[in-house]
Amino acid sequence: MNIFQQRESEIRGYCRVYPAIFDTAFNARQTDVEGNQYIDFFAGAGVLNFGHNNERMKQAMIQYLERNGVTHSLDMHSVAKQDFMQRFVKTILEPRNMPHKMQFMGPTGTNAVEAALKLARRATGRQQIVAFSHGFHGMTLGALACTSNEAFRGAAGVPLNHVAHYPFGCETPCKGCELGCGLASLKQLRASFLDSSSGIRPPAAFMVEVIQAEGGVKIADITWLQELQALARELGALFIIDDIQVGCGRTGSYFSFDGMDLDPDIICLAKGVGGMGTPLALNLVKPEIDKYWKPGEHTGTFRGQGLSFVAGAEAMSYFEDDELMSQVHKNGITMLNAIAPLELQFPHIQIRGTGMIYGIDVASGEHAKEIVSECFNAGLLVSACGTGGRVIKLIPPLTIPEQDLQEGLAILLEKTTQVIGGAA
Amino acid sequence: MNIFQQRESEIRGYCRVYPAIFDTAFNARQTDVEGNQYIDFFAGAGVLNFGHNNERMKQAMIQYLERNGVTHSLDMHSVAKQDFMQRFVKTILEPRNMPHKMQFMGPTGTNAVEAALKLARRATGRQQIVAFSHGFHGMTLGALACTSNEAFRGAAGVPLNHVAHYPFGCETPCKGCELGCGLASLKQLRASFLDSSSGIRPPAAFMVEVIQAEGGVKIADITWLQELQALARELGALFIIDDIQVGCGRTGSYFSFDGMDLDPDIICLAKGVGGMGTPLALNLVKPEIDKYWKPGEHTGTFRGQGLSFVAGAEAMSYFEDDELMSQVHKNGITMLNAIAPLELQFPHIQIRGTGMIYGIDVASGEHAKEIVSECFNAGLLVSACGTGGRVIKLIPPLTIPEQDLQEGLAILLEKTTQVIGGAA
Amino acid sequence: MNIFQQRESEIRGYCRVYPAIFDTAFNARQTDVEGNQYIDFFAGAGVLNFGHNNERMKQAMIQYLERNGVTHSLDMHSVAKQDFMQRFVKTILEPRNMPHKMQFMGPTGTNAVEAALKLARRATGRQQIVAFSHGFHGMTLGALACTSNEAFRGAAGVPLNHVAHYPFGCETPCKGCELGCGLASLKQLRASFLDSSSGIRPPAAFMVEVIQAEGGVKIADITWLQELQALARELGALFIIDDIQVGCGRTGSYFSFDGMDLDPDIICLAKGVGGMGTPLALNLVKPEIDKYWKPGEHTGTFRGQGLSFVAGAEAMSYFEDDELMSQVHKNGITMLNAIAPLELQFPHIQIRGTGMIYGIDVASGEHAKEIVSECFNAGLLVSACGTGGRVIKLIPPLTIPEQDLQEGLAILLEKTTQVIGGAA
Amino acid sequence: MNIFQQRESEIRGYCRVYPAIFDTAFNARQTDVEGNQYIDFFAGAGVLNFGHNNERMKQAMIQYLERNGVTHSLDMHSVAKQDFMQRFVKTILEPRNMPHKMQFMGPTGTNAVEAALKLARRATGRQQIVAFSHGFHGMTLGALACTSNEAFRGAAGVPLNHVAHYPFGCETPCKGCELGCGLASLKQLRASFLDSSSGIRPPAAFMVEVIQAEGGVKIADITWLQELQALARELGALFIIDDIQVGCGRTGSYFSFDGMDLDPDIICLAKGVGGMGTPLALNLVKPEIDKYWKPGEHTGTFRGQGLSFVAGAEAMSYFEDDELMSQVHKNGITMLNAIAPLELQFPHIQIRGTGMIYGIDVASGEHAKEIVSECFNAGLLVSACGTGGRVIKLIPPLTIPEQDLQEGLAILLEKTTQVIGGAA
C-alpha cells in the first residue's frame, strides 16, 4: 500500500480516475513518476487556462519570492494586489465600462458564491435564491444549496433551504430531455413570481452559469439569459453570473457573457483568475450593491494571495491583445471539426460547446467512464461531467500547442469510437 | 483616490486598520512601499507561524517551480502531495499513534469545517451540532452556523439552523462574565441530552477550539475538554477539534491539545499547515469515521496545492526536533513576563494565553482599537479580537528573533499603558 | 364602542365585512339583533352544508345532551363516535370500496392537514411536500407552508420550508393567466423529479384540492389530477386530497373527486363533517399508510366531539339516498343559469364552478368588495376569495329552499351588474 | 373486531388505556355501555373543569339550540359571542385591570399557541422562541417546535427550528434531576442573550407554563417566573403564558399565575374555556401587541363556536363568587392529605401539585402504567404524564362531589400502594 491508500481519505476521487502519481507538468502536458506523459484536456478542472507552469507567470512568481514579496496579506493592501487590481481594471473592466468593485474572499469558487449569496440577501432583504437544474456552484452549505446534483446535495446532512431550482434555458435541448427549458418556462416563472397567490415570492437573486460546465457543458440560450436578467430587474432581484469555470478566456473572450448585452450585478470568478493554479477568488460587484457590505462581514484568512496576484496580473497580458483569444477561436474550430463527426456516426451522441470548452454527451455514464479510462491509458487526460457522468468534457489549456491538441483529439476520437462502436 | 478606494469592495477591513501598502516581508517584519518597517505580532492571522518568506520554504518553492513541479492537481496523486503526506504521517501522526486519515479539501479553514460537519452528520444520522459561545469556525454557511459572533452571523441573510451554542468552558473565567462556563454547565447539558423531554437531542458532534483565538484568546479548561469528549462518546456524537488557528505549533506543540489525553474524531487544520501562506486545509479523520465518505462527495477545485505541499512538508522539519518548540516556550515566557504587569497595574485588564498566543483583554473595544492604531503608528502590527474587539491578540511568528519580540513588546507596553492610563 | 371594538383583537375580519350582530339562524337565513334577515350564500365558509340549525341534527343533539351523552372524550371510545363511524363506513366508505382508516385529530382542517403531512413524511422518509399555486390548506405552521397566499404566509414570521409550489392544473385557464397550468407543466415537473441533477427530489406527497375554494373557485382538470396521482405513484409519493371545503356533498357527491377514477392515499375532511357547525376533522388514510403511526403521536384535546359525532352521523342520512344530491345538481343549474349571463355581459368576468359552488371572477378585488358590501346591505351574505379577493364565492347551504336561492341570486345579479356596470 | 379495531387509525391512544366504550357522563362520573361507572380524575385532559354535562351549561346549550341560536359564525359578531365576551371581561379581566384584547382562533390549544408565536415574531421582528424542557404546547408544526417531548417531536418529519429549549425553573427539583433549573440557570441565560458573541440572540418570546401538566405536573418557582418576565422585558421579548391546561380555575383562581405579580403579554387559553367540552380557544393579548395583527391574518373556520360561547359564558358564574374556588382549595387539601403519605412510604416517589392538580411521580413509566390500568379496572380514570409516563396526574373536575373525590382517592391509594409495594 502506498501512502495514499494508507492515509488519504476515502473521499479521494480523481486519483482513482487517473491512477498515476504526477510529478511535473508544462503547458498542456503532465508527466508522472514513471516518466509517462499525458496530454491534458482537463486543465485542473478549468484552472490552468494558461497552461501548467506558464513560463511568464512562473518567472514572475520566482522573482516575487526572491525579493521577499508579501505572500499572504488577508485584506491588507499590498503591492502585488495593487498591481493585479490595476491591470485587471485597465484590461478587463474599463474597456467594458464595468463600474464593478472587486471583492476578494476565501480563495475558492464556493466562497465567492457564498459571498454573493450573502450580499444578494442583504441588498434585497429576501432569502430565496433561484438557481437552475444542472448548475454547479460549490460545496459549502450556502453554495451547495444552489448546486443541483443529487449526489453532492445528499452529503449535506441537513435540508438545503432558501434556494429553488428551475429548468436551465439550454441553447439546444439535450436529446430526450423534457425539463421544459427555454423562454416558455421562464414566462411561467415570471407569472408565478408576479402572482401573490402562487406560493413563491420574488427572489433575492438569480444565480446562473452561461455554460454549465460541471452540469455537462450545457450552453444557455442568449435570449433566455437576457430575459432572465430582465426578469431579475423587474422583480428587484439581483442577476448573478457564476463565471468560475468558463470565465477568464475559456470561451474566447474574458467573460463568457461578453457580447451578449448582459449586465450582471455580481460576477463570481475563481479558478483561472489566479493564473497558474494557486488559489484566488474574486467577485465583481456593482457599487450600488457593494455598498450593502459592512467592513469585515465576510472574512477569510486567505483573501490576499501574493503569488496568485502576481501570476494573475501576468495573465492580464493575454487580454491586452487578441493573440490568445484568436487562438482560442481557432482551436475551438479544430476541436469541433474533430468531434462533430461523432454526432453523425452515433445518433445518440450530442456535441455541445463553444470557445475551447466542448462536451461529448454519450448518453451513458458507463461509456463515458470507459472512454476516460481508455484515454488515460493512451496518454490523454479528459474527465466526465453531467448527470451520471455521461458527458466527456474537453477543456485543454487555452495555450495548448497545435500538435498536442491534434494528438489529444486523435486519441479521444479513437477511444470514443472504439468504446461506443464496440458497445453498439 | 488610490486603486483600493476606487475599486476594492467596501467590505475590506484590515487595510483600514493598517493603512499602508505592504511590499516585502521577512520573518517577523513587514515593509511598506514607503520603506517603513513593522514588527509583525499578527502573522497573517496565525498563518505565518514560520515567518514571512521562510528561507527554507521559499527556496523549496522556487526549486519546485523551476523544475516545473505540478502546482495544481485537485485530488490526483502528486509527488509533492506524497512527500507532504509521508512527512506529516511520520512526524506528526505516527509518534502520537494517531490512525487518522488525511482529507484535503478546498484550501480554507471554513471548508475544512464544512467537510467535518457533513461527515459528522453522515456518520451519526443526526443534524444538530453543538458549538460554543465565542467560537469562530468560518464564514461559509455551514461553518458560519457554528461561529458565534453576532456581526458575522447577521450577514448570513438566512436562519443559521442545526447548530446550538452553549457556554465554552474557560480555564479562567473572564472578569465579570456570567455565562456559566465550566463543568457545572456541562453536567447540566449532559442531563438535557439524556432527558427525552428536554427538547434537545444528542448532537452529531461537538465542535470546539482548545483556544478560542478569534473569540478573544479564551483557553479551554482541560478537564472540561476531557469531560466534553467523554460526553460525546457517551452520546454517540463526534468530538471535533478545530485547531485551525492554534495548531501547527502555536502552543508549543504541534496540536494545541497535545498532552491533554484527548482523542478527537476529527481535527480541522488550515492556516499554518501550508507553511508560508499559500492556502491549504486538511482534516484528520479517524478511519472508522472516514469510511462514511463516498468518493468525490465533498469536492473543491483547489484541493491539491503543490506549493503548499512543498512549503508544508518543509515545515515538518520544525517538528522533527525540539528546537523551535523550546523556543516557543521561551518566547511565551518572555511575552507573559512583559505583559503580566498590565494586569496588576490595571485591575480591569485580564491576560490570557499560553505558548505564543496571548490576549490582553482591555475590556473595551474602543481602547483596544486605539492601542492597535497607536502600535501601528509606532511600527508594530497587532490586532483586536473577542467581543467588540476588546482583546489585543499577540501571535507573532514562532520564529521571531528575540530582538524583534522584545522591541515589539516594548511598543505594545508603552502604547497600552498610554491608552489605558490616559483613559483612567 | 361596543364590546367587540373594545375588546376583540384587531385581527377580526368577517365582522368588518358583515357589520351586524347575528342572533339566530335557520337553514339558509340568518337574523341579526335588529331583526334583519340575510340569505346565506356563505354557509359558514362551507361548514353548513345542511343549513343552520338543521332540524334533525339539532333534535339529535338536544336529545344527546338531555341523556347526558359524553360530549368530550379525546380518543377514547364512545357510543356517539361508534355510531358516527359505523354510519360513515356504511354510507361513504363501503359503497366506494374504500379501505381507509379514520383518524380523528384536533377538530380543525388545519390540524387534519398537519397530521397528513406528518404521516406522509414518516411513511416516505422524505421531507418535501408539493402543493399548488392558489391552494389553501390552513394556518398552523405546517399547513401554512402548503397554503400559497402571500398575505397568510407573510404572517408566519419564519421561513416556510419543506414545501414547493407548482402551478395548479385548472380545468379552464383563468383569463390572462400565464402560470402554465396543465399537463405540459406536469410533464416538466415529472422530468425534473426523475432527473438527479435537477436540484429537486421526489416529494413525500402531493397535496391538492379538487376545487380550490379559497383560491378563487378554481377547478382541477380531471386528467391533470389523474396524471398527478400517477406521478405520485411513480415517485413513491403519497397522493393527498384536501377535501375540507368541497367535500361532504358540496359538488353533488360526497367527495369532490367521486367519479374521477382517483384513489387518494389520504383525504382530509373537516368543516361539513361535523354536521351543524360544531368542530370535527377527520383524515381517511389507507391502512398501509396508517400503519406508520405509533399510538398517540399526533394528539389533540378535542379529538372526540360528542355533539359533532351526533350531528355528523345524522348528516349521513343525506347520503343514503339521492334526494339531496339531486337537489344539489338542480340548484347548481339554477345558479349557473342565473350568473352565466354576467360572463356574456362583461367579457372580463369569468364564471367557474360545479355542484353548488360557483365563483364569479370579476378580476378586481375592489369591485368584489363593493359587491359583497352591497349584497350585505340588500340582505345577502356572500364572500370574496381568490387573489386579492377578486372572486365572489357562492356556497349556499345545500339544503337552501328554492325561494331563498332565487331571491339571493336576484340580489347578487342586481348588485353585480350595478357595481360592474357602474364602473364600466 | 369492533368498528374501532376495523376502521380507526392505529394512532388511537387513550382507548387503549381505557378499554371501554363510554356512553353517558355526569359531573365526575362516566358510564360505559356495559353500565360500569368510573370516577373521573382525568376530566377530559383538563377540559371538564365544571364536570361532564354541567347542568347549567347543558340547559343553556339546549335552550340556545331550541331558539336556533347561531352555532357557527367564524369571526362575525354574534349575540352568544357578545355575551361571552362581556361576561369574561367583567368577571376575569376588569377585576384584574387586564387591558388585554381577546383573540379567537381555531378552537384548539395548539392553534392558540400558533397564533401567539406568529404575533410575537411579528411584533419583535425576531424568529427565535424560547420554550422550556418538559413543556407541552401542541402538535401542529409551530407549536410542536415548542413542545419538548422527543416522541412527539420525532413525528414532525422535518426539523423543528426557531425554538430553543432551556431548563424549566421548577419550584422543587425532581428527585435526581440535574437539568440545572432555577435562578442560576436563568442568570446564565441572561448573560448569553446579552453577550453578542454567545451564538444566541434575544428571542421573540419566552413561552412558559406555570404548571407543566403534560410535562409531569412540574410547578414553576414564582421568583423564577418573575425573573423570566423581567428578562423578557429587558430583552424586548414577549412573555407568554400558556395557561391552556391549568387555567380556568384549576389552581384555585382563574389564571394559574394569579397573585404572582406577573403581567404576561399573551395568555393562551383553551380546554376549559368552552365550558363543557365543545372546543374553544382564546388568546388574551395586550393591546400594544395586538395592534401588530392585520385583519384576517390568522384565520380558521371554527373561530366562532356558539355552543362554546354559551357554555363558556355560563362558566363565568363560577368566578363571580368564591364558592367554587374555595371548594378547589378544600379539595386540593383533601387530595394532598390523601397522597402525601405515599412520599413517606416510598422515598423514590415525589408528590407535586397545587389547587386541584396533583402529580404522583413514581419514577417509572411501567409502574405508572400499571397503576393507571389497575385504577381503571377498579373504576377510576387517571392518566400518566411526564417523561416516559412516570407521573400519575390527578385532575378531577373542580365540581367533583366530596364523596366521589374520597372514593377515587381511596382506589388510587390502594392501587398505587399495591403496585409500588408489590414491586419493592
Side-chain angles (χ1 to χ4, degrees), chain C residues 168-249:
Chain C
F168 178 75
C170 293
E171 187 186 53
T172 314
C174 300
K175 291 181 178 175
C177 177
E178 302 185 305
L179 280 179
C181 309
L183 293 175
S185 183
L186 202 58
K187 193 177 171 187
Q188 289 175 21
L189 195 53
R190 177 179 176 275
S192 284
F193 283 125
L194 296 177
D195 181 335
S196 67
S197 295
S198 64
I200 65 176
R201 305 278 316 259
F206 294 86
M207 165 82 70
V208 69
E209 296 160 283
V210 172
I211 301 174
Q212 295 183 322
E214 290 307 305
V217 191
K218 305 202 170 184
I219 300 176
D221 179 69
I222 294 178
T223 312
W224 182 83
L225 284 170
Q226 290 168 341
E227 293 292 319
L228 187 63
Q229 178 179 288
L231 178 57
R233 301 281 190 265
E234 180 180 6
L235 299 174
L238 267 58
F239 181 61
I240 304 175
I241 289 185
D242 175 342
D243 222 22
I244 292 169
Q245 184 152 167
V246 298
C248 304

Side-chain angles (χ1 to χ4, degrees), chain D residues 123-182:
Chain D
T124 59
R126 302 173 185 168
Q127 299 189 329
Q128 198 77 353
I129 302 290
V130 170
F132 295 94
S133 289
H134 295 261
F136 180 94
H137 301 282
M139 287 285 115
T140 52
L141 209 60
L144 183 56
C146 295
T147 293
S148 61
N149 182 287
E150 184 178 305
F152 290 135
R153 294 172 69 85
V158 291
L160 295 170
N161 296 321
H162 309 305
V163 176
H165 286 85
Y166 296 99
F168 178 75
C170 293
E171 188 188 49
T172 315
C174 300
K175 292 181 179 174
C177 177
E178 304 185 304
L179 280 179
C181 309

